[in-house]
């Protein structure tokens, strides 16, 4: 039985989020520039998106560029932005063919003008697609997102007794997107790196040694299979969960 066949389709995570890490190290191992690693990272993005959609996952969120990534050398930032524009441009047709909607979270207005326009254009063109949403986290960080939500709540004059988890969630850039049940990080680092801190309160965390450019469909199946063999208790006891 293949790993894919072992996955229980009835217990799929509705939302998987991924911290794609290790492009730089992958390239270094091959004696190449970091940019080479990012280019090969696109193949992993394509494979993972295809695998998630084929299984029936409804939301796939990819951490493509963090607020902190702006501090990388200018050459690397510029190359990543160019790659992003090129990839979005190249893949919009394929997204439509596969009924996949493109969404983005983060401080999108801080992106270079052409990148922001390309992104908005692709989101508009794929807006009616219903099979899966591919969510790109761009110029994203949780601390930025949470502060931005607090500022807008105050600006809107919301009274303290109106503020609950639901209202707060609706002010985050992920509004309308369910919290991820599964968060994957590649490259053997055990960190969250300012990603979806509010939304992963009860997510299952999965870490793999694989560097992102080497991540393939089988690696996604492995993560989902591992997730399906865990007991999610949400603060309750094991006995309470089994009684359900
Ligand atoms: C982390 O590896 C990766 C990134 C900061 C960028 C991710 C971008 C891509 C995979 C390409 C474009 C993506 C899309 C969605 C079109 P790193 O550079 O931090 O690697 P290192 O930790 O080994 O240095």
């Amino acid at each position: 039985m293949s790993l894919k066949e072992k996955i229980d389709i009835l217990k799929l995570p509705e939302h998987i989020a991924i911290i794609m890490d290790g492009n730089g190290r992958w390239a270094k191992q091959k004696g190449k520039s970091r940019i080479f690693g990012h280019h090969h990272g696109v193949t992993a993005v394509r494979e993972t998106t295809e695998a998630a959609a084929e299984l029936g996952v409804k939301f796939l969120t990819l951490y493509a560029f963090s607020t902190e990534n702006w501090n990388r050398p200018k050459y690397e930032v510029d190359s990543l932005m160019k790659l992003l524009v090129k990839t979005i441009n190249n893949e919009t047709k394929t997204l439509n063919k596969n009924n996949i909607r493109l969404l983005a979270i983060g401080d999108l207005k801080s992106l270079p003008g052409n990148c922001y326009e390309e992104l908005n254009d692709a989101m508009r063109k794929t807006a009616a697609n219903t099979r899966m949403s591919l969510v790109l986290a761009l110029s994203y960080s949780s601390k930025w997102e949470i502060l931005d939500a607090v500022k807008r709540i105050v600006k809107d004059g919301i009274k303290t007794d109106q503020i609950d988890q639901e209202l707060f969630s609706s002010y985050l850039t992920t509004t309308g997107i369910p919290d991820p049940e599964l968060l994957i990080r590649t490259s053997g680092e055990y960190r969250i790196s300012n990603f979806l801190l509010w939304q992963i309160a009860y997510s299952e965390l999965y870490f793999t040694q694989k560097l992102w450019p080497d991540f393939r469909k089988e690696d996604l199946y492995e993560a989902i299979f591992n997730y399906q063999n865990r007991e999610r208790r949400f603060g309750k006891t094991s006995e309470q969960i089994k009684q359900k």
Side-chain angles (χ1 to χ4, degrees), residues 104-112 116 119 123 136 138-139 144:
I105 56 169
D107 186 10
L108 305 180
K109 294 221 168 78
S110 70
L111 294 169
Y116 182 69
L119 185 67
M123 289 196 288
L136 297 184
L138 290 168
S139 192
W144 167 81

Side-chain angles (χ1 to χ4, degrees), residues 2-231:
S2 73
L3 197 50
K4 188 180 182 189
E5 287 163 344
K6 284 190 193 159
I7 291 174
D8 183 348
I9 293 303
L10 300 174
K11 287 190 192 151
L12 268 186
E14 185 184 14
H15 181 181
I16 300 176
I18 306 184
I19 301 175
M20 309 182 286
D21 196 14
N23 293 353
R25 276 162 286 165
W26 185 90
K28 200 173 172 191
Q29 282 174 5
K30 295 179 161 43
K32 303 275 190 180
S33 80
R34 300 178 53 81
I35 314 306
F36 182 76
H38 296 317
H39 278 264
H40 281 266
V42 175
T43 308
V45 167
R46 219 177 277 127
E47 278 253 335
T48 309
T49 306
E50 204 176 295
E54 281 167 1
L55 284 172
V57 171
K58 298 310 285 182
F59 293 87
L60 176 68
T61 299
L62 303 176
Y63 203 4
F65 194 87
S66 73
T67 311
E68 289 77 18
N69 287 153
W70 290 116
N71 299 321
R72 291 194 174 191
K74 186 177 177 324
Y75 171 68
E76 184 171 347
V77 173
D78 290 349
S79 303
L80 267 170
M81 289 300 144
K82 259 195 212 149
L83 179 62
L84 211 64
V85 171
K86 192 177 127 195
T87 308
I88 293 170
N89 200 313
N90 286 350
E91 301 296 330
T92 306
K93 253 195 202 144
T94 315
L95 290 175
N96 273 332
K97 212 166 78 195
N98 289 284
N99 195 13
I100 298 171
R101 173 173 69 150
L102 185 72
L103 296 176
I105 56 169
D107 186 10
L108 305 180
K109 294 221 168 78
S110 70
L111 294 169
N114 63 331
C115 187
Y116 182 69
E117 279 157 31
E118 199 67 54
L119 185 67
N120 272 316
D121 192 44
M123 289 196 288
R124 245 194 327 271
K125 284 181 179 152
T126 61
N129 296 341
T130 54
R131 185 181 181 200
M132 185 180 86
S133 296
L134 172 63
V135 187
L136 297 184
L138 290 168
S139 192
Y140 175 88
S141 82
S142 272
K143 288 193 175 180
W144 167 81
E145 179 185 44
I146 289 169
L147 275 182
D148 178 67
V150 171
K151 286 180 196 168
R152 285 188 293 112
I153 287 170
V154 172
K155 208 165 147 202
D156 286 353
I158 309 283
K159 302 270 178 300
T160 44
D161 60 358
Q162 291 175 275
I163 302 175
D164 57 13
Q165 293 190 13
E166 198 181 333
L167 178 121
F168 192 76
S169 293
S170 76
Y171 274 85
L172 297 173
T173 54
T174 48
T175 181
I177 301 173
D179 290 345
E181 294 95 332
L182 173 61
L183 172 72
I184 300 171
R185 183 177 188 141
T186 59
S187 90
E189 305 286 1
Y190 300 94
R191 280 192 295 277
I192 301 301
S193 301
N194 220 343
F195 189 44
L196 303 176
L197 296 180
W198 170 275
Q199 297 87 341
I200 60 165
Y202 270 103
S203 303
E204 295 296 327
L205 309 183
Y206 178 86
F207 299 96
T208 168
Q209 296 297 318
K210 274 275 167 88
L211 301 176
W212 179 250
D214 285 332
F215 198 85
R216 291 292 177 270
K217 289 184 176 185
E218 285 294 311
D219 299 298
L220 184 74
Y221 302 152
E222 179 112 43
I224 296 173
F225 184 67
N226 181 293
Y227 158 85
Q228 290 189 332
N229 285 288
R230 297 184 191 185
E231 184 180 62

